[in-house]
Amino acid sequence: MTLTNESVAGITIPDTRLARETTEIVRESTSELIYHHSRRVYLFGSLRGRNRNLSYDPELLYIGAMFHDIGLNERFHHSGHRFEVDSADEARRFLRSHDVPEDSIRRVWTAIALHTTPGVPEFMEPEIALVTAGVEYDVLGIGYHDVDAVDRRAITALHPRPDFKRDILRAFTNGVAPKPDTAFGTVNDDVLTHFVPSHRHTDFVDIIQNSPWPD
């Protein structure tokens, strides 16, 4: 794998054919919001991996980070799948079209599909763990002080996040609201409950109590 001289906070951006094509796809098919967020996920995930002395494949981590929110796009609004799965499936199609080994594809797919499922990815392969770590850092601020303030400023200077909290919540809402059933049991249900007045929360306890089982 070749690497460019493009680096920030000591993290270098992969410059493989797959990485370059991934960047082009995300730039052409998503908003500036999602592009900058996805690059920050790679960079913050990489920093958190470095802090934990994890050995990971930068190319796979980059592809997972860049594709992780592509399922919020309008063309997936009526897929019937969670946006995370749509994102993971899109990455898998892309990687299979380039004859990437299935184990690498599995790691990228799983990293994307589980990136909003806390408490699980951190115990899996580094590429899976670090996509989630990058997302949690950029969106939720988890481990905020684990990254040096100088590195944080360098990354946000390159990939700024003006009004990010409001805009990313709007992106989640717009991406999930057309298929509300996919939000059951996920963090996406919180988003719809907050921002879609007509959304009816599906309660796990109610489902059990009202199931056809007699007892």
Side-chain angles (χ1 to χ4, degrees):
M1 178 174 66
T2 59
L3 296 172
T4 65
N5 292 322
E6 184 184 6
S7 64
V8 59
I11 303 298
T12 304
I13 306 296
D15 188 35
T16 63
R17 176 188 174 193
L18 288 176
R20 290 193 300 271
E21 289 190 21
T22 294
T23 302
E24 291 173 5
I25 289 169
V26 174
R27 292 230 72 165
E28 291 173 0
S29 65
T30 67
S31 64
E32 286 290 294
L33 169 77
I34 297 301
Y35 167 72
H36 287 297
H37 164 56
S38 300
R39 294 268 285 199
R40 291 195 305 271
V41 165
Y42 169 73
L43 293 165
F44 287 133
S46 296
L47 285 176
R48 299 195 75 192
R50 187 173 70 186
N51 291 345
R52 294 166 56 186
N53 294 316
L54 293 180
S55 177
Y56 59 91
D57 184 321
E59 180 182 60
L60 295 184
L61 178 58
Y62 184 77
I63 293 168
M66 293 302 289
F67 270 97
H68 85 278
D69 274 348
I70 205 167
L72 293 171
N73 287 357
E74 185 175 357
R75 70 187 180 93
F76 300 107
H77 282 184
H78 302 287
S79 69
H81 300 147
R82 286 177 56 171
F83 88 85
E84 302 94 322
V85 172
D86 284 328
S87 301
D89 285 349
E90 194 70 5
R92 181 167 58 190
R93 279 189 288 271
F94 168 72
L95 293 172
R96 282 183 173 166
S97 74
H98 289 79
D99 298 319
V100 172
E102 283 297 318
D103 183 65
S104 296
I105 295 173
R106 176 192 61 79
R107 279 184 281 167
V108 171
W109 191 96
T110 306
I112 298 171
L114 293 182
H115 82 265
T116 62
T117 304
V120 175
E122 64 189 284
F123 300 106
M124 302 180 75
E125 292 104 318
E127 296 83 9
I128 298 170
L130 295 178
V131 168
T132 292
V135 170
E136 289 178 341
Y137 191 91
D138 198 47
V139 177
L140 302 173
I142 293 175
Y144 184 78
H145 296 293
D146 294 342
V147 172
D148 186 273
V150 173
D151 291 338
R152 190 166 56 245
R153 285 194 295 269
I155 290 170
T156 55
L158 181 64
H159 295 293
R161 38 174 295 152
D163 215 6
F164 178 72
K165 292 180 180 180
R166 185 192 68 175
D167 289 345
I168 196 64
L169 285 170
R170 181 186 293 121
F172 292 153
T173 302
N174 292 341
V176 179
K179 44 183 180 181
D181 290 346
T182 68
F184 169 64
T186 77
V187 297
N188 302 316
D189 188 48
D190 293 339
V191 174
L192 298 187
T193 299
H194 273 269
F195 296 108
V196 179
S198 62
H199 178 65
R200 183 180 181 278
H201 168 69
T202 301
D203 190 279
F204 178 68
V205 175
D206 287 344
I207 292 175
I208 294 175
Q209 292 178 334
N210 296 322
S211 82
W213 287 102
D215 53 28

